[in-house]
Amino acid sequence: MESTVQQKAAHVTTRRLLDMKSKGEKISVLTAYDYTMARILDRAGIDVILVGDSASNVFSGHNTTLPITIEEMIYHAKAVVRGVQAETGRSMVVIDMPFMSYQLSSEEALRNAGKIMKEHECDAVKLEGGRLIAETIKRITDVGIPVMGHLGLMPQSIYKYGSYKVRAQEEREAEQLLEDARIVEESGAFAVVLEKIPSKLAAEVTRSLTIPTIGIGAGAGCDGQVLVVNDILGLDREFHPRFVRQYADLSTVIGNVVGQYVRDVKDGVFPSSDESY
Ligand code: KIV
């Protein structure tokens, strides 16, 4: 009983993230989509685990984030929450609301955010957009569901923009983004992801908000950083964007391990007598 109380006390909350910003303590965020990875991330001390709709790309092999469904996101979210709970229980878990689960109306968005929160014990949902979804953010936060915003490169709008290039490089778009960030904060979001925008602009947004900014390809001036876990582990041999720091080459490591296993099985040297009953 005592240990359960201690675990809950350590759990990262929206309040804790605000404190971290005010103390200048950086916030670490990574994506995860399954139980095993969530256990590893929580044990390693990650502050926030994002069950990103990037699962559509890196888990399911789609070209974009658009095809993933709310049921699939809930499936990933349940596994991740179970992983965190099986370890220290410290990491906050945020779930991406998938494309078309919140854009039709604020009422439907609220229903779907509620569905995501009710299915498992996650902490918050994340939505892409600024002024256009202000009312939606307000309705969801008004009922007590924490919302993380997402501005800059918004992968769910990829067909509108036609490319994954850096956003808000021109003054007008930069001003709009700054304004959108203020609107997202005023609507009740507890944090906002800034994806692929110039570092100078991200630092300015960070200074002008009281809520934390979490950057991805947005420079060191943000209050925290998020990356896709598959990218830092080097699981994709072809994907090496400038904003990713690849800490390992697991694609090669796993390939070598599997190759060795295949040879051992073919050569009849696995299993040995020690590995048999
Ligand atoms: O879906 C995702 O993984 C994301 C992060 C990259 C911010 O939205």
Side-chain angles (χ1 to χ4, degrees), residues 31 33 50-55 57 65 73 96 126 128 150 155 193 195 214-216 226-228 243:
T31 66
Y33 318 102
L50 172 65
V51 184
D53 58 359
S54 49
N57 307 79
T65 58
M73 288 304 297
D96 254 334
K126 177 164 83 61
E128 295 179 8
H150 186 148
V193 167
E195 180 161 354
I214 310 294
I216 171 163
V226 56
L227 284 174
V228 168
F243 62 85

Side-chain angles (χ1 to χ4, degrees), residues 233-268:
L233 296 176
L235 284 170
D236 184 335
R237 286 196 307 153
E238 278 92 43
F239 190 64
H240 303 288
R242 172 173 167 170
F243 62 85
V244 168
R245 184 171 294 179
Q246 192 185 313
Y247 290 83
D249 180 8
L250 289 198
S251 168
T252 304
V253 172
I254 295 169
N256 290 341
V257 167
V258 174
Q260 186 61 51
Y261 172 74
V262 170
R263 282 190 297 280
D264 288 353
V265 170
K266 302 269 181 207
D267 295 346

